Amino acid sequence: MKAIRIHETGGPDVLRYEDVELPPPGKNEVRVRHTAVGVNFIDTYHRSGLYKLPLPTGIGGEAAGTVEALGDGVTTLKPGDRVAYAGTLGAYAEANNVPADRLVKIPQGVSDEVAAAALLKGMTVQYLLKRTFAVQRGQTILFHAAAGGVGLIFGQWAKHLGTITIGTVGSDDKIALAQSHGYDHVLNLSKEDWVKRVRELTKGEGVPVVYDGVGKATWDGSLDCLAVRGMMVSFGNSSGAVPPFAPGILSTKGSLYVTRPTLASYTRTPEELQETANDLFAVIASGAVKIEINQRFKLSEAAKAHEALQSRKTTGATILLP
Ligand SMILES: NC(=O)c1ccc[n+]([C@@H]2O[C@H](COP(=O)([O-])OP(=O)(O)OC[C@H]3O[C@@H](n4cnc5c(N)ncnc54)[C@H](OP(=O)(O)O)[C@@H]3O)[C@@H](O)[C@H]2O)c1
């Protein structure tokens, strides 16, 4: 089969489109023939070496497709079932062997493309809004990269939960899109004193939670947007990793909390994974959350997808088509 692999870390050009031998699925594994592959910012961290993987390696962690073969011991799935996964490496490929208990069935009415675009990003939004910091109706909250893949899902789901949501974007052309996906206020990071604006919008109080996937560039400002005893949720680093900090900073800014969550630790058991996915599929089915796939690339063009994502040219979700 064809797959994108890396033999060294670096820029998008290290992504190689290669012939790969996929072994039969092992015990408790399922071979999934991919129909759509999700592109996520974490894939760029793996490629660049910010998050280390043993090399050479497959890349990508999210895909949808059809069950093609079962390894020994698999009783929960059968060939032909439509499934998706988030968090198993090697998704940038025509097929992948995935542990059966990391697969979720795609419900009727949800296309494979939507599943590949939504599962990882949408389950992330689920745990951020409901479990890392359980937002309450009427609270004003802040989310960075509002027009991004996670961002467009977040804005809609937050609106559904009744929050007043402030989003940030990097350029004016993304403002209307964010506004039409649930954000009540959209601030341009590159033009505005966004910390001051957040204080104004909260009558000086600050927000009880900041969801910050941008990292290095927004870390300091995000802490300054928080209310006393507020929660800094640092869940990504699209602008670079947050440098080490002294915990004393949290006392001077009002007894703040900081967490650095990952989807893996919120979908640790098969039951948690299924519940999180069910919650996502429910908001998609109800129409509360619509999935925007705004970029499609061929699998062989994964490097172009990474270039677009990292140069802040994309909005919503990006998928690769094998
Ligand atoms: N911890 C978890 O469980 C988890 C799970 C999924 C995703 N994430 C994180 O969530 C974030 C969003 O992921 P995504 O896949 O949906 O990506 P995305 O938001 O579609 O793309 C990243 C966005 O970050 C913004 N950005 C700000 N400064 C940037 C810079 N210097 N370079 C590039 N982008 C910059 C850009 O939006 P503007 O131009 O509008 O500023 C860009 O569109 C990422 O940090 C990702 O790692 C974490």
Side-chain angles (χ1 to χ4, degrees):
M1 66 162 188
K2 291 284 189 187
I4 298 279
R5 290 173 60 80
I6 57 170
H7 295 253
E8 58 192 334
T9 55
D13 53 321
V14 303
L15 297 170
R16 291 199 212 161
Y17 188 57
E18 297 181 334
D19 291 308
V20 176
E21 199 68 46
L22 185 65
K27 192 168 166 20
N28 298 322
E29 281 186 346
V30 168
R31 178 185 286 184
V32 182
R33 178 66 47 183
H34 294 160
T35 48
V37 174
V39 176
N40 292 285
F41 220 92
I42 191 173
D43 309 341
T44 72
Y45 309 145
H46 286 143
R47 191 212 69 224
S48 71
L50 179 65
Y51 296 176
K52 303 261 179 294
L53 293 176
L55 298 174
T57 180
I59 193 163
E62 180 182 36
T66 306
V67 172
E68 196 174 64
L70 306 178
D72 285 347
V74 179
T75 55
T76 50
L77 292 161
K78 59 180 187 321
D81 283 346
R82 290 196 313 128
V83 290
Y85 62 92
T88 302
L89 213 58
Y92 285 14
E94 289 176 332
N96 199 7
N97 292 330
V98 181
D101 63 4
R102 302 314 294 171
L103 288 166
V104 297
K105 286 191 191 169
I106 305 173
Q108 270 198 346
V110 175
S111 70
D112 289 13
E113 288 199 357
V114 164
L119 194 65
L120 193 152
K121 299 167 190 71
M123 290 200 300
T124 300
V125 171
Q126 197 278 353
Y127 84 71
L128 289 176
L129 279 170
K130 294 191 162 185
R131 293 189 279 152
T132 303
F133 181 95
V135 298
Q136 289 165 29
R137 199 160 277 282
Q139 273 179 330
T140 302
I141 62 174
L142 174 63
F143 185 95
H144 292 299
V150 176
L152 290 188
I153 299 174
F154 185 96
Q156 298 174 82
W157 205 331
K159 169 110 311 190
H160 181 60
L161 295 174
T163 65
I164 299 155
T165 313
I166 306 172
T168 71
V169 293
S171 52
D172 282 346
D173 53 333
K174 296 180 182 175
I175 292 176
L177 185 68
Q179 282 169 336
S180 65
H181 286 79
Y183 292 92
D184 299 277
H185 308 277
V186 182
L187 312 178
N188 183 336
L189 283 179
S190 65
K191 285 208 326 209
E192 290 179 80
D193 184 343
W194 52 275
V195 175
K196 188 163 155 245
R197 291 282 295 122
V198 170
R199 287 278 161 194
E200 284 166 6
L201 289 167
T202 54
K203 301 187 174 59
E205 279 294 300
V207 289
V209 61
V210 178
Y211 295 100
D212 189 334
V214 168
K216 192 176 178 184
T218 45
W219 169 262
D220 289 328
S222 292
L223 292 182
D224 287 334
C225 289
L226 281 165
V228 170
R229 301 202 301 268
M231 167 86 84
M232 170 68 166
V233 182
S234 174
F235 71 101
N237 15 245
S238 59
S239 69
V242 175
F245 69 95
I249 190 87
L250 305 176
S251 71
T252 60
K253 292 184 187 289
S255 306
L256 303 181
Y257 296 84
V258 174
T259 182
R260 177 57 177 91
T262 66
L263 178 60
S265 42
Y266 281 86
T267 51
R268 213 163 52 89
T269 64
E271 293 74 24
E272 253 182 345
L273 170 68
Q274 200 57 59
E275 279 169 27
T276 312
N278 288 349
D279 207 7
L280 169 66
F281 288 133
V283 287
I284 294 176
S286 76
V289 171
K290 296 195 172 55
I291 305 303
E292 293 265 353
I293 304 171
N294 290 347
Q295 298 76 216
R296 288 177 173 80
F297 294 89
K298 290 184 200 153
L299 174 62
S300 57
E301 293 179 339
K304 280 191 188 165
H306 278 212
E307 270 158 27
L309 187 60
Q310 286 193 282
S311 57
R312 306 169 80 160
K313 289 195 185 112
T314 63
T315 56
T318 302
I319 57 170
L320 305 175
L321 298 170

